């Protein structure tokens, strides 16, 4: 069963296959209408359940469009549609859904929901996001870096801000793709030690540097993410802003990285909070290529899961 639950749980050779396949599918669609079907229809007659306990724009649209481009059909289910884990167990939900659909993508809060779904489903399960990780986003990020700068192996990636779920998947990717990662942010928002240690165990350099100017020196890629979640209380938002303000990515910070360093943000962004508009709209920013590549990377992930 080819579940795609986290980057570190997938063999590096399979990850490379997914990235290469994503790039090939993107090239094959160049210049075609957005709604056009792919010439190859690997998901013809396949049904994919897209479960959203947590709201989404890019994840929902990119998965829905991707399945349709490959000839499949989607069933979009919200948390209110299913009341997941309230009444019927997640295990029983997984067993039932497996009788109806060919693959399940779930975007949820608690990682335990994802792992239980995968344990009891008899069809592949894809992690669309949990509070701990966001692997599909980082697969798109690796694809984006490589289409602009070539192989990511041996490069230096700097994460500035909150060591959140996206940062966690970047650490997983560092170990699997062989690039170094420096985290710069306040001690209270460090990434989980488990993720740091796992990357280091794969032989890559992972550093924590509190001074953002020192951290980005020699960087090939600078990445940040929103400082607050839509679910955070106002008091928590204010505390986070106070802690993270020194780690805002602006032109002065980017100037300390390599001259051709790329900038990424998974979006949605709070302009002029975690990053200035000048950087977001600047020549080194690839944020909209990154957003588009969610579509191509996820199509490749679906094909890998279903082996089609």
């Amino acid at each position: 069963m080819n579940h795609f639950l986290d980057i570190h749980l997938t063999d590096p050779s399979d990850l490379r296959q997914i990235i290469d396949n994503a790039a090939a599918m993107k090239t094959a669609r160049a210049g075609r209408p957005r709604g056009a079907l792919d010439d190859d229809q690997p998901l013809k007659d396949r049904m994919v359940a897209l479960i959203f306990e947590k709201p989404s724009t890019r994840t929902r649209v990119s998965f829905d469009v991707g399945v349709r481009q490959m000839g499949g059909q989607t069933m979009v289910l919200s948390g209110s549609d299913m009341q997941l884990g309230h009444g019927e167990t997640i295990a029983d939900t997984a067993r039932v859904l497996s009788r109806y659909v060919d693959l399940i993508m779930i975007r949820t809060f608690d990682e335990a929901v994802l792992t239980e779904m995968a344990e009891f489903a008899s069809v592949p399960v894809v992690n669309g996001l949990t509070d701990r990780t966001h692997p599909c986003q980082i697969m798109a990020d690796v694809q984006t870096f490589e289409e602009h700068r070539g192989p990511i192996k041996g490069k230096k990636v700097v994460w500035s801000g909150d060591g959140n779920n996206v940062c966690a998947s970047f650490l997983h990717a560092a170990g699997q793709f062989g690039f170094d990662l420096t985290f710069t942010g306040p001690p209270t928002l460090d990434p989980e030690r488990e993720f740091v240690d796992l990357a280091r165990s794969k032989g890559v350099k992972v550093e924590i540097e509190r001074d953002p100017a020192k951290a980005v020196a020699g960087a090939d890629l600078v990445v940040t993410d929103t400082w607050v979640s839509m679910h955070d209380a106002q008091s928590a938002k204010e505390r986070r802003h106070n802690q993270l303000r020194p780690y805002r990515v602006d032109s002065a910070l980017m100037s300390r990285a390599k001259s051709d360093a790329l900038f990424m943000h998974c979006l949605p962004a709070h302009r002029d909070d975690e990053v200035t508009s000048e950087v977001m709209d600047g020549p080194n920013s690839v944020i909209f290529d990154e957003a588009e590549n969610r579509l191509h990377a996820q199509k490749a992930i679906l094909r890998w899961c279903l082996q089609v």
Side-chain angles (χ1 to χ4, degrees):
M1 183 72 64
N2 282 348
H3 297 306
F4 189 78
L5 303 183
D6 272 317
I7 289 172
H8 70 295
L9 300 177
T10 306
D11 189 85
S13 64
D14 290 326
L15 295 172
R16 175 47 55 191
Q17 175 191 330
I18 290 168
I19 294 293
D20 292 346
N21 196 17
M25 287 192 289
K26 181 176 183 177
T27 298
R29 286 196 62 85
R32 304 185 65 183
R34 304 298 186 206
L37 296 177
D38 291 353
D39 291 333
D40 186 14
Q41 295 286 281
L43 265 62
K44 181 177 171 57
D45 300 326
R46 303 287 186 128
M47 177 65 72
V48 177
L50 306 177
I51 302 173
F52 292 92
E53 279 201 297
K54 195 168 186 176
S56 166
T57 299
R58 273 151 296 278
T59 301
R60 175 167 179 165
V61 175
S62 57
F63 267 111
D64 201 350
V65 170
V67 171
R68 291 166 187 259
Q69 285 181 352
M70 292 190 292
Q73 299 183 61
T74 60
M75 177 182 299
V76 181
L77 301 165
S78 70
S80 60
D81 291 329
M82 302 186 68
Q83 294 295 304
L84 198 63
H86 301 284
E88 185 174 55
T89 66
I90 294 163
D92 286 350
T93 299
R95 293 183 179 104
V96 170
L97 284 178
S98 296
R99 302 296 182 99
Y100 300 144
V101 304
D102 299 288
L103 183 144
I104 300 166
M105 188 289 302
I106 182 167
R107 181 179 172 95
T108 187
F109 295 91
D110 189 349
E111 183 183 56
V113 173
L114 169 75
T115 54
E116 187 171 353
M117 183 73 71
E119 181 181 355
F120 290 96
S122 57
V123 298
V125 174
V126 173
N127 177 2
L129 174 142
T130 71
D131 285 346
R132 288 194 84 199
T133 59
H134 196 0
C136 291
Q137 177 64 57
I138 275 46
M139 292 297 285
D141 292 355
V142 171
Q143 180 189 351
T144 304
F145 183 90
E146 293 197 338
E147 70 184 18
H148 283 273
R149 296 289 185 265
I152 197 168
K153 184 175 182 178
K155 301 299 184 180
K156 178 180 177 179
V157 175
V158 176
W159 179 278
S160 182
D162 178 7
N164 62 10
N165 52 355
V166 186
C167 179
S169 287
F170 250 116
L171 284 163
H172 289 159
Q176 298 293 70
F177 287 98
F179 59 85
D180 298 330
L181 189 142
T182 298
F183 171 82
T184 185
T188 52
L189 296 174
D190 277 352
E192 290 186 39
R193 176 56 59 178
E194 174 188 337
F195 301 143
V196 172
D197 291 344
L198 181 61
R200 286 174 175 165
S201 73
K202 299 295 182 72
V204 298
K205 183 187 295 184
V206 178
E207 297 182 325
I208 295 178
E209 171 57 65
R210 301 301 173 198
D211 184 339
K214 291 180 180 178
V216 301
D220 298 285
L221 170 63
V222 178
V223 193
T224 192
D225 194 6
T226 181
W227 290 346
V228 297
S229 167
M230 66 183 75
H231 305 285
D232 288 341
Q234 185 59 38
S235 58
K237 292 178 181 180
E238 291 173 0
R239 285 196 302 273
R240 279 177 170 266
H241 273 80
N242 291 335
Q243 293 180 77
L244 288 164
R245 195 167 287 113
Y247 300 96
R248 182 176 72 163
V249 179
D250 56 19
S251 294
L253 188 63
M254 286 297 295
S255 71
R256 294 181 174 270
K258 288 183 178 178
S259 59
D260 64 346
L262 298 178
F263 171 75
M264 290 188 190
H265 189 306
C266 67
L267 303 178
H270 295 83
R271 285 176 175 260
D272 300 314
D273 278 354
E274 67 268 13
V275 57
T276 62
S277 290
E278 184 178 13
V279 170
M280 287 185 68
D281 300 326
N284 292 41
S285 173
V286 290
I287 58 174
F288 297 112
D289 290 342
E290 185 186 0
E292 178 189 344
N293 284 340
R294 287 289 300 278
L295 171 66
H296 308 297
Q298 288 164 186
K299 287 169 69 174
I301 289 167
L302 294 174
R303 294 191 68 167
W304 176 79
C305 286
L306 293 168
Q307 293 294 286
V308 293

